Amino acid sequence: MSNFPTQPFYKKGYHPERVDEFFTRARDAYEGGLPANEFSSEEVRRAMFPLKRGGYDPVPVDAALDRLEGAFVTRDRANHVAMNGEEAWLNHVADRATTLYPRLLRPETERFAHPDKKTVGYKISEVDAFLDRLAKFFDDEETITAGEVRRLTFSPAKGEEAYIEGTVDAYLARVIEILLAVE
């Protein structure tokens, strides 16, 4: 049984049984100390639930997922530091972060691939504006948190006015992973 509030019958929310199953599995993995290759912060970040009338209110479930992801990152960091030392962890995070920077150096409007003319993607100007902020973060000129990145939304656009959503989403997932590792 979960403590998540439900939506009224006429509104859709996350499917309660699926949410409960996921959180039970996550708790067992966390308490049982399953290694990251069996259950990780990435799995939490990618969790999706079908919608159902009267289901769980998505806002508190999403907030719980954010906290859960942070707990897994903290656990993984503690395990890594215990085995390899703090410097090794920081080097690991720095190596992961350096994979993000080259895309920031690309010219605006060319940082990601564009969908075909009829496919909806993310509006280029909004994605590029965020990437400019991210570059400033890496240059210690701006502050960005994982929570901010999680809450990002971009307007829809098509063709040459858009970037492909999946590619941008994968990049932002890596950004979140890096930010959580250093927060």
Side-chain angles (χ1 to χ4, degrees):
M1 179 97 184
S2 176
N3 292 324
F4 294 116
T6 57
Q7 297 281 52
F9 176 75
Y10 56 88
K11 283 183 82 176
K12 290 185 177 182
Y14 291 149
H15 195 287
E17 290 81 16
R18 300 282 173 75
V19 171
D20 291 343
E21 288 168 7
F22 179 84
F23 276 93
T24 297
R25 195 168 138 250
R27 184 183 62 241
D28 291 347
Y30 187 82
E31 291 173 355
L34 288 179
N37 64 346
E38 292 186 38
F39 197 99
S40 67
S41 59
E42 184 175 347
E43 191 166 347
V44 177
R45 187 178 321 113
R46 293 176 188 248
M48 296 175 65
F49 308 107
L51 298 177
K52 178 180 180 180
R53 286 189 187 276
Y56 288 148
D57 183 344
V59 174
V61 173
D62 289 346
L65 287 169
D66 291 349
R67 290 188 304 275
L68 182 62
E69 181 183 10
F72 272 95
V73 169
T74 300
R75 181 197 71 176
D76 294 345
R77 176 184 179 162
N79 290 342
H80 194 328
V81 169
M83 291 175 50
N84 305 301
E86 182 76 22
E87 186 174 336
W89 172 257
L90 295 175
N91 288 336
H92 169 73
V93 172
D95 287 344
R96 303 275 296 171
T98 58
T99 64
L100 297 173
Y101 206 78
R103 191 173 298 271
L104 302 175
L105 300 175
R106 293 180 183 176
E108 288 188 4
T109 74
E110 297 177 23
R111 291 175 169 161
F112 296 96
H114 305 282
D116 62 43
K117 292 179 182 180
K118 295 181 181 180
T119 303
V120 175
Y122 293 139
K123 188 172 185 177
I124 287 176
S125 60
E126 294 174 9
V127 174
D128 282 346
F130 172 73
L131 293 183
D132 291 342
R133 280 190 64 214
L134 186 61
K136 289 179 181 178
F137 168 80
F138 283 125
D139 294 337
D140 291 326
E141 298 173 14
E142 178 103 23
T143 302
I144 296 177
T145 66
E148 285 179 72
V149 179
R150 278 192 188 106
R151 291 185 294 277
L152 280 175
T153 57
F154 302 112
S155 301
K158 291 183 180 179
E160 292 299 312
E161 299 297 316
Y163 287 135
I164 295 173
E165 291 179 8
T167 310
V168 174
D169 289 343
Y171 184 84
L172 294 177
R174 174 68 57 89
V175 170
I176 291 168
E177 176 187 331
I178 299 303
L179 292 172
L180 284 172
V182 298
E183 286 181 355

